[in-house]
Amino acid sequence: MPALPPSTAARRRFWPLACALLVLAVFAAATFAVPAVVAEVRPAWQHAQDGPGAGAPGASSAGGASEREAQDADDAAASPDPAAAGLAAASGAVDAEGVTEALDAGLAGAPGTVAAAVAVAGEDTVIAGRSQERPMVPASNQKVLTALALAATVDPYERLETTVVRGDQPRELVLVAGGDTLLAPGEGRADAVNGHAGLGTLAERTAQALRQDHPDAAAATQWTVALDTDLFTGPELNPAWEGEDVAAGEITRVAPVALYSHRVPTADGADPGSRGGRPEDPAAAVAREFARQLEQRLGSGASVTVGGTASAPEEAVELARVESAPVSEQSAYMLAHSDNSLAETLARVAAVASGREGSVTGVQELIPAALAEHGIDTGGLRAVDASGMAQQDRVSAATLARAVDTLVTDPRYGPYGRGLPVAGAQGTLSERFDDPAEAAARGVTRAKTGTLLDVVALSGYLQRADGSVLVYSLVLNGVSGDTTRAKDTVDRTVAALAGSA
């Protein structure tokens, strides 16, 4: 048998390899098409938004931000519109009548006053709803609006800095608050969001800088630490918050710097979680802890005292800094844990980034402006705060659904859109969807919970078995304290939507 020509032999060797690669590609595509397998909802159109290191909400990355930024920029340029990634094709299969039947069946016998809106992701029209334009008390679903306002004004990979600079007076230091309220009292943890940066780390870097300038005197010198909190202005407490909620620790004074999201650390300096007490003055607590850590690191003979508040001098000489986890990861933490104080802090950070005051008023101006900028109807909207603790907050289910849709379909907001927790797996949704009638939604929906004494709400998005994606908002007011029944009704409805024809 004569030898094959070189080109023919190469083709013969190529085809088995090509077939093998094709099989692997099909297998990989099938794997990523089943979100329940990995307990994560990532529709095909959202893969284009996933940069390197994308993962579960709140999984902080120590570095690689520039690489992720470049990747997200490339993805956005390659697929500027979700429709280009196949969303429109998937959406065409959605039967509005079937979705309406599922919504009505799920909400049958729902307690209180109901508002609901369901739409196909990437489309403006509500295909199923009930009183979807009615202004409702959103509870913590208000945080969806906060997340969108944050996404619209702050780069997802931006990190909030806490710095130490030289003051105007000799041996005076100024601790400058930059909006990071998730500081740890000791060393920071690169793998954490809450506690990513630490005052112990900042103190060590400050001590090193002082020794470089004063090699023989740093350990035997009197130092004073002043605190610059100029980033935020106006009242620290929103006048609309109930005194009993403040007393119970549901919300607290909002400062531009704090430990563990305005919580008192445990005796060993650990994160106390949501049950931790609230400090009387969050920023002052940070200043005292930093002074203690610095004195410890300067060594025997050094004395560090806390002065009052002071603005950092213009052209101040920076001695040290620490940086928070990326803001998008803080947003994910806020959504997953429904952290009221963090919502208020991030909203003020966003207000400053937008050119407004970092104040209650600045937040009240920011949220409706961010919605209007994205063409979202603000009729009936009352954005009194960022956390949803204010009973005067009002927003329609249609507006909440549109806000979710914008977060998850705008390629610029990919890192923020992934911050909604997964049903049955993360944060405030970890113990939801636990009944058989609700199980169909576990692992296939991401959503934000909302609960007050007479309010239950859930806004998010889900992927159906046919690959189509629905965004939804379900808000129940006046449930008369029967929140368990209301939650079951909402969860059952979302499961019905997930299984709708």
Side-chain angles (χ1 to χ4, degrees), residues 412-423:
R412 297 170 298 172
Y413 303 157
Y416 284 106
R418 290 191 296 271
L420 290 166
V422 177

Side-chain angles (χ1 to χ4, degrees), residues 439-493:
R442 291 178 67 88
V444 300
T445 186
R446 285 182 180 267
K448 178 70 198 78
T449 57
T451 308
L452 290 173
L453 287 177
D454 60 349
V455 179
V456 167
L458 193 70
S459 297
Y461 67 103
L462 61 87
Q463 186 168 15
R464 304 195 308 172
D466 64 2
S468 60
V469 179
L470 302 179
V471 295
Y472 62 85
S473 178
L474 309 172
V475 185
L476 278 60
N477 283 184
V479 298
S480 302
D482 190 8
T483 57
T484 299
R485 179 185 167 208
K487 288 177 183 177
D488 287 342
T489 299
V490 166
D491 293 355
R492 183 176 65 246
T493 302

